[in-house]
């Protein structure tokens, strides 16, 4: 055995608080996509605001008489301009549109302000006050002498028209707000169902882990303990040095396996991947090579002294499984183990020659390499295993060093 260079030890409306929360959100790796989404939302809101303002101005311009008092022009202009800040002060904007509707010609501006207020506030008292003001502006006629000169039929018509003018934006706003609230409730319900499904799945997994832990403790642990006890008795009663050494090796391997099995049972019972008990390290690879019954040539180079625990354990398990397979299926072959760090990745290669004699008929689980591939994938690495052209076999694993 040779060791080289061993160095291991919606268009929805949102108020000021929501906008400030957007600006206060910390930057992350998704800053680019989030910025693009925010920009599209800002452009969409600006387009909506401009459209609302232009519609209100167009309404005033189309119905404005040539001989109108100047104050009605100013009041109508204020009503249209107030719509630009309706997202932040919806009730104040409605109050600003009332004079322009009563003494001017800004009827659509008042209706838009009322609809937006109903969307935001729903059943709030401000909505009903605003609806009453809009109705009053449509019912009354300015100046007051002209209003008093109307007949009772005209008053009744104004009552009906006032209900329509105030009721239409009120109903639309309430409908939009209810739809938004319903969508939010449905989203919360979907999230609640997802949480319930996850909890149920976790409960099922916990039951399965507990069952596996019981089986492993009651059956496998018991049998390994008996093997260790028998190996100890065989070591004491051995008549030759080789038999005693073999018995001690069996006892040591049984003891190590029992310790790892107990740690695994603890993981199964706790269900925590962090509390996984003692794990083998890459620095223990010398002991692994020394105790294996396979001729091994080990080469370790440029490996950092500090490795992530998961990567170190995965590298150790890779070498352990590969050497076990050599012992089972390639009797008499020499194994070449290479461990090196390149470009922030840990590379592990185990290659063996063509077997020189039939392999031993030891039981095989059949999932060793599959488990190694799954472990590598969870760590962000890769593992490949395939026969070589000379009749041997090679296992190559790559694990990221940055965890």
């Amino acid at each position: 055995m040779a060791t080289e260079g061993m160095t291991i030890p919606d268009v929805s409306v949102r108020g000021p608080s929501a906008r400030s929360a957007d600006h206060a959100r910390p930057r992350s790796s998704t800053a680019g996509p989030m910025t693009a989404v925010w920009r599209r939302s800002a452009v969409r809101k600006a387009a909506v605001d401009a459209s609302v303002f232009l519609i209100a101005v167009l309404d005033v311009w189309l119905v404005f008489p040539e001989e109108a008092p100047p104050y009605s022009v100013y009041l109508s202009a204020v009503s249209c301009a107030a719509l630009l800040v309706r997202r932040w002060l919806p009730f104040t904007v409605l109050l600003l549109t009332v004079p322009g509707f009563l003494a001017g010609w800004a009827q659509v501006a008042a209706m838009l302000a009322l609809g937006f207020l109903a969307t935001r506030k729903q059943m709030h008292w401000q909505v009903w006050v605003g609806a009453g003001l809009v109705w009053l502006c449509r019912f009354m006629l300015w100046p007051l002498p002209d209003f008093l000169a109307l007949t009772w039929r005209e008053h009744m018509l104004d009552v009906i028209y006032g209900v329509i003018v105030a009721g239409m934006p009120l109903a639309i706003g309430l409908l939009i707000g209810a739809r938004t609230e319903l969508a939010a409730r449905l989203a919360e319900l979907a999230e609640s169902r997802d949480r319930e499904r996850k909890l149920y799945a976790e409960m099922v997994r916990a039951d399965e882990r507990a069952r596996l832990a019981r089986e492993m403790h009651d059956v496998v642990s018991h049998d390994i303990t008996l093997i260790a006890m028998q190996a100890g008795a065989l070591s004491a009663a051995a008549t030759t040095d080789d038999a005693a050494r073999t018995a001690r090796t069996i006892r040591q391997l049984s003891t190590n396996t029992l310790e790892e099995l107990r740690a695994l049972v603890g993981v199964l019972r706790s269900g925590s991947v962090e509390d996984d008990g003692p794990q083998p390290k890459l620095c223990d690879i010398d002991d692994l090579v020394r105790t294996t019954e396979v001729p091994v040539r080990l080469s370790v180079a440029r490996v950092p002294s500090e490795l992530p625990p998961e990567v170190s354990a995965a590298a150790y398990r890779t070498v352990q499984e590969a050497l076990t397979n050599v012992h089972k299926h390639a009797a008499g072959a020499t194994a070449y183990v290479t461990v090196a760090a390149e470009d922030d990745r840990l590379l592990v290669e185990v290659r063996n020659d063509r077997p020189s004699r039939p392999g031993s008929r030891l039981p095989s689980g059949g999932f060793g390499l599959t488990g190694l591939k799954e472990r590598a994938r969870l760590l962000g690495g890769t593992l490949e295993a395939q026969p070589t052209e000379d009749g041997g076999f090679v296992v190559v694993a790559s694990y990221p060093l940055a965890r």
Side-chain angles (χ1 to χ4, degrees):
M1 177 184 70
T3 305
E4 302 175 1
M6 192 67 175
T7 60
I8 304 176
D10 172 19
V11 191
S12 59
V13 182
R14 300 166 57 185
S17 60
R19 293 175 60 86
S20 61
D22 287 341
H23 292 291
R25 186 180 293 112
R27 298 182 182 270
S28 63
S29 59
T30 59
M34 290 300 296
T35 302
V37 172
W38 182 85
R39 288 177 179 175
R40 288 195 296 268
S41 177
V43 171
R44 183 169 60 250
K45 290 180 179 180
V48 172
D49 292 342
S51 300
V52 169
F53 175 74
L54 291 177
I55 291 173
V57 172
L58 182 62
D59 171 67
V60 174
W61 179 69
L62 291 176
V63 300
F64 206 81
E66 296 182 357
E67 297 179 0
Y71 68 86
S72 64
V73 178
Y74 301 141
L75 292 177
S76 299
V78 170
S79 299
C80 295
L83 293 176
L84 297 176
V85 295
R86 73 191 192 285
R87 297 183 183 274
W88 299 274
L89 302 170
F91 185 63
T92 302
V93 169
L94 177 63
L95 295 180
L96 291 176
T97 61
V98 168
F101 185 12
L102 179 62
W105 308 92
Q107 174 176 322
V108 172
M111 294 174 66
L112 290 173
L114 176 59
F116 192 84
L117 178 64
T119 302
R120 289 287 304 275
K121 300 292 186 177
Q122 289 293 287
M123 305 301 291
H124 196 269
W125 63 268
Q126 294 178 357
V127 177
W128 303 111
V129 172
L133 291 176
V134 172
W135 176 87
L136 185 63
C137 291
R138 181 59 184 82
F139 172 72
M140 293 187 63
L141 180 64
W142 190 267
L144 289 180
D146 294 342
F147 172 72
L148 297 177
L150 296 176
T151 64
W152 69 271
R153 294 178 179 271
E154 293 174 325
H155 284 304
M156 291 301 299
L157 288 175
D158 288 337
V159 169
I160 297 174
Y161 292 150
V163 172
I164 296 176
V165 169
M168 182 174 63
L170 177 64
I172 295 176
L174 293 177
L175 180 61
I176 295 176
R179 180 180 179 275
T180 303
E181 183 178 358
L182 178 60
R185 296 290 178 86
L186 290 176
E188 294 177 359
L189 180 60
E191 294 178 358
S192 177
R193 289 178 177 175
D194 289 339
R195 288 193 297 267
E196 290 179 359
R197 283 194 293 266
K198 291 179 180 179
L199 289 175
Y200 178 75
E202 181 61 28
M203 182 179 64
V204 172
R205 288 195 295 268
D207 292 340
E208 185 65 17
R209 286 196 300 264
R211 187 185 66 82
L212 291 175
R214 288 193 300 268
E215 294 294 331
M216 294 176 65
H217 179 271
D218 297 340
V219 179
V220 182
S221 178
H222 175 71
D223 292 344
I224 294 178
T225 302
L226 292 179
I227 292 174
M229 294 174 60
Q230 294 293 335
L234 180 61
S235 176
T239 57
T240 63
D241 293 340
D242 291 340
R245 184 166 53 253
T246 302
R248 287 194 297 269
T249 301
I250 296 175
R251 178 178 175 82
Q252 182 62 37
L253 292 176
S254 301
T255 303
N256 295 340
T257 303
L258 186 60
E259 292 178 356
E260 294 184 2
L261 182 61
R262 288 173 177 172
L264 181 58
V265 170
V267 173
L268 290 173
R269 288 194 176 276
S270 64
S272 174
V273 297
E274 300 295 336
D275 184 19
D276 51 2
Q279 287 290 325
K281 300 179 181 179
L282 189 57
C283 59
D284 300 330
I285 195 173
D286 276 338
D287 296 335
L288 174 63
V289 170
R290 191 164 37 248
T291 57
T292 187
E293 298 182 5
V294 176
V296 179
R297 294 185 180 181
L298 175 64
S299 175
V300 180
R302 302 184 305 275
V303 177
S305 57
E306 295 293 335
L307 290 175
E310 303 90 344
V311 174
S312 182
Y316 180 92
R317 294 300 188 191
T318 301
V319 176
Q320 183 185 46
E321 179 64 23
L323 293 180
T324 300
N325 289 340
V326 172
H327 178 63
K328 290 180 179 179
H329 310 296
T334 301
Y336 302 88
V337 180
T338 303
V339 182
E342 295 182 4
D343 299 332
D344 296 332
R345 299 187 74 84
L346 182 67
L347 304 179
V348 180
E349 178 182 294
V350 182
R351 181 187 301 270
N352 64 272
D353 298 332
R354 178 192 298 270
S356 59
R357 61 178 185 270
S360 59
R361 297 182 177 275
L362 295 176
S364 176
F367 298 99
L369 293 178
T370 302
L372 291 179
K373 291 180 180 180
E374 293 176 353
R375 184 192 291 264
R377 185 172 64 253
L378 291 175
L379 295 177
T382 59
L383 187 140
E384 297 180 359
Q386 59 187 1
T388 59
E389 295 180 356
D390 59 357
F393 201 82
V394 61
V395 177
V396 181
S398 173
Y399 302 101
L401 293 178
R403 292 290 296 164

